[in-house]
Each structure stands twice: as structure tokens, then as C-alpha cells.
Amino acid sequence: VSLTAVDLSRDLSVARVYFSTLDPDADPAPVVEGLQRAGGFLRRRLGQELKIRHVPELRFQHDDSAEHGARISQLIDDALHPDDQA
């Protein structure tokens, strides 16, 4: 699992944490479940490291932008080299 981005709400109460997996075809549901279970631990560690009064609620979401980019790249390659398809 790789964390790809974090978006904070304007009032800093919620952090949406985006992640991707090494296998783009893998089901992200077990990863979301694992991250949610570790959410309390992660918030506590963030609070210790960042030294802030209120640590945002962590919400985890699968980031499929790499998979989407690969699909677009494949479509472009197919359009540029239609004879290579067999």
C-alpha cells in the first residue's frame, strides 16, 4: 500500500487519505478495512509527531488514478499503432 495524497477539510477536522495498491486489479476493500482498524493508532501517532491540539478524523479512499492513467496510455498506444493489435 502506498499513500498517494491527503486532502484536509477547511476546518481541519477531516483528512481524506488516498492510497493505491501494488496490484491495480486487487480489491481495495480489505485494505480500507485494515486502514480503518488502524485509524485510531495512526491518529494517536500523528498527534504525537505533529504536536497539534486536534488531530483530524482519517477517512481512507482508494486512489485509482494510476490505473486510470495506464488505461488511457494503453488507448493512446492502440490508436497510434493499430497494426500491432492481433
Side-chain angles (χ1 to χ4, degrees):
V1 173
S2 295
L3 301 181
T4 57
V6 177
D7 288 334
L8 285 170
S9 63
R10 285 183 182 233
D11 64 357
L12 305 179
S13 64
V14 177
R16 188 168 303 280
V17 180
Y18 295 92
F19 70 91
S20 65
T21 57
L22 292 176
D23 181 7
D25 298 327
D27 181 18
V31 176
V32 171
E33 183 180 336
L35 288 170
Q36 287 173 342
R37 285 185 176 196
F41 170 78
L42 294 171
R43 282 185 75 190
R44 187 169 46 254
R45 291 289 295 152
L46 281 171
Q48 292 169 351
E49 294 296 321
L50 298 176
K51 308 269 191 290
I52 57 177
R53 175 174 271 168
H54 176 75
V55 178
E57 173 189 346
L58 302 176
R59 296 183 185 168
F60 299 98
Q61 186 168 350
H62 181 247
D63 180 5
D64 61 353
S65 62
E67 179 181 332
H68 185 69
R71 176 73 179 130
I72 289 174
S73 180
Q74 182 63 44
L75 289 172
I76 291 170
D77 287 345
D78 292 347
L80 293 175
H81 306 287
D83 297 336
D84 293 345
Q85 298 175 11

